[in-house]
Each structure stands twice: as C-alpha cells, then as structure tokens.
Amino acid sequence: MQELHDAPLAPLTTFRLGGPATRLLTATTDAEVVAAVAEADASGTPLLVIGGGSNLVIGDKGFDGTALRIATKGFTLSGTSLELAAGEVWTDAVARTVEAGLAGIECLAGIPGSAGATPIQNVGAYGQEVSSTITEVVAYDRHTRETVTLPNAECSFSYRHSRFKAEPDRFVVLRVRFALEEAGGLSAPLAYPETARAMGVQQGERVAASAARETVLKLRAGKGMVLDPDDHDTWSAGSFFTNPILDEAAFQDFLARVHERLGPDVTPPAFPAGDGRTKTSAAWLIDRAGFTKGYGSGPARISTKHTLALTNRGEATTEDLLALAREVVAGVHAAFGVTLVNEPVTVGVTL
C-alpha cells in the first residue's frame, strides 16, 4: 500500500481544489482498504475516503488525518450479473457492459468517478439511476468491524441519496453488484425526453444500447459534463446542486413567486416525486434567478455550458468556489423561496 505524507489532494479531485492530507494511502485490494480503515478507526485518526474525486469539495487547509484513495480493480461479468470493485472507473465499466450487449446503465455513460461512489449518491442521469440495477453492495462496516453484504432493499435508495450517504462514517464500499438486462443489444426503454428527442424516437422506445451511450456522451459533453483537462468547464463536480423536491405548500408558494417575478404565463419545470411532492429543476432556478452561463468575474464561475455546474477556471481556491455557491444559493432563495442543496461532499468546509 503506497503511503505519502503531506500529500496534495487537489490532483485527486475533478475540481482540482483543496489542501494536502497529513497522510495519503493508496489501496489496491479490498484487504488493504479494510486494513487502512481499521487502523484509522483503532487509532482515532480522522479518515477521508477518496474514489474518483468527482464529488468532493476539499477545504484549502486540506485534511488533518488519513486520506485513503481506493484504487481497487475488478470487473466480473457473468451472464447479466455484473460485479465491480469500488475503484473501477465508472464510465469505462459502462462502456464494457454496452460492448457486451447488456442494458440498464448505458445512459449513465460519461459520469466521472469510481464504481464505489455510485450507490452512495444513487447516481443517476438521463432517466436511469443505479438503484434500479444494483442488487447488492459489499462494504466494510466500521461499527461492527466486519465486511457485510447489503441487498438493495437495505440500501435505502432515494433521489441522490442512500443509507451510505445517510451514515457517512459507517460504511466503506468495497464492491457493487448489478443485474443488467439482455435485450439483444438494445437499450432499456428511454425514460428521459431529451435523450429520446436527440435520437428521434418516442420516450419509452428502445434503441441500440451503443447508440444510447454515444448520444448521452454527446449531450453531456455539450454541457461540459465529460472530463477534459483542457476544458475548464469540466473542472467541476458536474451538477453542484440537487433538483429541489417540494411538498404541496412549498410548491404552491414557489409557483406564486414564479408568477410574480416572471409573469403569470411562465410555468416552471415540475415532475411528480411521490407522496404529493414535486421535483423542479435547479438549473432552471439558477438561470431564472439571474445566474446565467458563464456568470462570475473571478477564478470560480458558472460553466459557460451549463448553469448547474460551478467551475474552477484554473486559479481558483475552494473559498472562491464556496463564495460563488453561497451567492447562487442566496440569490435563488431570494427570488423563489427555494433553498438549493449542494450535491458534492464538503470536507473541512461548509456551504
């Protein structure tokens, strides 16, 4: 297991921000992951687990403790059953399942980060979420000090949330298992209107899984959501805010504010979210509150391609990024009475 001291963490994140860790360990096997976690817990050392770094905002002072980078490898496909080691690059794994002619995660192509992070955030995009295909998550339970296998029903999946996110100091994901679909090389039914439109088909139709993957990659790239070291619009964590889910009273108040601010004929995006709740679009809120593409004059700005991405233009600090995020949150709340919630995990800082 590689060990470094006073190790820079910024290069391990897609934001390229944050100070150093007191110690950085890189684990390449499950046993090394468990040993490192157990050692930190036994000694009372603060622990930061890092996968692909695509969902992390690390403070400028860094992390006073042990940072554990999970770099495990393992891709096992048996029929329609897939098992991924936590350190596997997610978008590469998606490509391999499509090459094998399987459906279920093809519209999650291009999402940066590692496989182990996908159940934590219940990663989703373009009409798919990993919770619909995950069967089991193998994790080290820091409370019981043993490796456990949690079936889907025990993961408490919901929109961009899970048991793992709710209990951040308990589980360290080691492996993720999926049940995919043999559909003769076709995709799952296209659930997202934008994807269907881009492919010239009706929502709910199937297309070639490879074509669905390529279409999603193009759509993401057009929004700066596919990593490119030469494109500062991709020096981000992708979507910085989750789409708000409002109860009936909050949604009616929101509608009243929209009509007062933008006119009675303006209808905001609204999607049923169960239990009488409604999900609306964070990107729409940000744009209509006056934070348009490219907003900002400092080293941290809104992406020129998508209002939901906050970006490092090359010389930003974490404080620059947080100042922009706070400005956006305050502006959206003042305009529409809705409080945006950050999607990335913050380390040593708060929004």
Side-chain angles (χ1 to χ4, degrees):
M1 188 155 47
Q2 183 187 69
E3 179 174 343
L4 299 173
H5 293 269
D6 195 28
L9 295 180
L12 302 182
T13 74
T14 53
F15 265 124
R16 295 168 172 80
L17 295 175
T22 305
R23 182 172 72 148
L24 172 65
L25 300 177
T26 298
T28 57
T29 68
D30 290 355
E32 288 181 350
V33 173
V34 171
V37 175
E39 177 199 39
D41 289 347
S43 63
T45 303
L47 180 69
L48 171 63
V49 178
I50 300 176
S54 61
N55 204 43
L56 277 180
V57 178
I58 298 173
D60 292 317
K61 293 182 179 179
F63 183 70
D64 185 12
T66 294
L68 173 62
R69 177 172 171 262
I70 297 181
T72 53
K73 296 297 178 185
F75 178 101
T76 304
L77 191 58
S78 177
T80 57
S81 298
L82 171 67
E83 179 180 284
L84 297 176
E88 280 289 326
V89 176
W90 172 253
T91 193
D92 292 347
V94 172
R96 293 177 69 177
T97 65
V98 170
E99 289 170 4
L102 299 177
I105 57 175
E106 63 281 353
C107 290
L108 302 178
I111 294 176
S114 61
T118 60
I120 298 172
Q121 197 75 4
N122 186 16
V123 164
Y126 294 97
Q128 291 182 343
E129 289 183 329
V130 291
S131 59
S132 66
T133 51
I134 287 177
T135 57
E136 296 177 330
V137 176
V138 181
Y140 177 68
D141 186 336
R142 298 169 68 183
H143 288 187
T144 63
R145 300 180 183 178
E146 61 183 357
T147 298
V148 297
T149 299
L150 299 176
N152 183 296
E154 293 182 18
C155 295
S156 302
F157 288 123
S158 60
Y159 173 66
R160 300 298 177 269
H161 200 70
S162 70
R163 181 179 182 183
F164 311 104
K165 189 173 181 179
E167 301 180 75
D169 297 323
R170 180 169 183 179
F171 297 103
V172 177
V173 176
L174 301 175
R175 298 192 167 259
V176 189
R177 295 171 180 153
F178 302 81
L180 303 178
E181 179 188 4
E182 172 55 67
L186 296 179
S187 69
L190 296 179
Y192 200 68
E194 184 181 12
T195 314
R197 285 196 304 269
M199 302 202 70
V201 299
Q202 295 296 311
Q203 190 175 348
E205 289 188 38
R206 294 178 185 262
V207 297
S210 58
R213 173 180 172 270
E214 289 299 324
T215 298
V216 166
L217 286 173
K218 289 177 182 177
L219 290 171
R220 291 184 63 87
K223 299 173 183 178
M225 298 293 187
V226 176
L227 294 180
D228 179 350
D230 296 323
D231 182 359
H232 285 286
D233 278 331
T234 73
W235 289 33
S236 75
S239 300
F240 195 88
F241 301 103
T242 58
N243 289 324
I245 296 178
L246 309 175
D247 62 26
E248 180 62 24
F251 184 68
Q252 291 304 319
D253 178 66
F254 167 54
L255 280 180
R257 287 172 177 260
V258 168
H259 295 156
E260 179 182 355
R261 180 182 178 89
L262 303 175
D265 297 329
V266 175
T267 302
F271 310 94
D275 298 325
R277 300 179 303 166
T278 302
K279 181 168 67 175
T280 190
S281 165
W284 187 92
L285 288 166
I286 292 167
D287 180 75
R288 295 305 180 95
F291 303 100
T292 53
K293 296 175 184 177
Y295 178 88
S297 58
R301 304 178 196 174
I302 290 178
S303 166
T304 66
K305 299 182 180 73
H306 199 286
T307 55
L308 202 48
L310 308 188
T311 68
N312 171 11
R313 308 315 294 184
E315 301 295 333
T317 64
T318 301
E319 279 306 311
D320 292 328
L321 176 75
L322 293 176
L324 175 62
R326 291 170 186 137
E327 183 183 1
V328 171
V329 170
V332 167
H333 189 270
F336 300 113
V338 175
T339 300
L340 294 178
V341 176
N342 53 292
E343 187 168 329
V345 175
T346 56
V347 178
V349 292
T350 57
L351 195 57

